[in-house]
Amino acid sequence: QLNSLLRCSARRGNADVASALIEAGADVNDRDEEGQSAMSLAVKSGNIGVVQVLIESGYSMEHSVDLFLHDAAAMNRLDILEILCLGYSDIDMNSTDSRGQTALHLAAHRGHLDVVRFLVSEGSDPDVVDGKGWAPLHYATRKPTSKPSNSCWSIQFPLNML
């Protein structure tokens, strides 16, 4: 019951409740039937306070399952990316999803220039190709999906960082 409540508080962004539930015995690493953890729900919901509480409470990242960088990059959440990189020194900046895409692919495709710069500065490889054979730069040259008015020409993919 405590674990279910922790996931609920993570989804809703209540860091104080999450902290109290952890103190009461909720397992920060528990996953539901679908494999969702409190951390994955907090990241997907953009709840930075809960993300911080979970990191401080010892959430153990499973690199083959947890694609938090992807979620944060797709949502243009530089703040969450920064906390994840600070909290997990061994985070895999080039982890891939089921399509072979890295967080950098997603950020470039959506035109999130600050996120692209951050990911590259933290070690994301701009030469990794996905299942289509596309590198992040290929996606950066397409019209971003999240902001139709923002074309690749106005974001100017940071070639000087590659």
Side-chain angles (χ1 to χ4, degrees), residues 127-143:
D127 296 321
V128 171
V129 295
D130 65 9
K132 291 182 181 180
W134 284 33
L137 182 58
H138 291 112
Y139 288 100
T141 61
R142 296 175 49 128
K143 189 174 186 176

Side-chain angles (χ1 to χ4, degrees), residues 19-37:
S19 189
L21 289 166
I22 293 165
E23 286 180 30
D27 179 2
V28 295
N29 294 303
D30 184 67
R31 294 175 185 272
D32 65 15
E33 316 78 49
E34 298 172 7
Q36 296 289 312
S37 65

Side-chain angles (χ1 to χ4, degrees), residues 94-116:
N94 296 303
S95 64
T96 58
D97 63 14
S98 61
R99 295 170 302 189
Q101 294 184 333
T102 64
L104 185 57
H105 283 93
L106 299 177
H109 186 227
R110 287 168 175 80
H112 302 321
L113 183 57
D114 290 337
V115 171
V116 166

Side-chain angles (χ1 to χ4, degrees), residues 33-73:
E33 316 78 49
E34 298 172 7
Q36 296 289 312
S37 65
M39 180 68 89
S40 62
L41 295 170
V43 171
K44 287 176 184 175
S45 300
N47 296 317
I48 194 165
V50 179
V51 170
Q52 187 66 44
V53 165
L54 294 169
I55 290 171
E56 291 170 359
S57 298
Y59 179 83
S60 296
M61 186 179 296
E62 290 185 43
H63 295 290
S64 61
V65 177
D66 295 326
L67 297 174
F68 306 140
L69 294 177
H70 291 71
D71 295 330

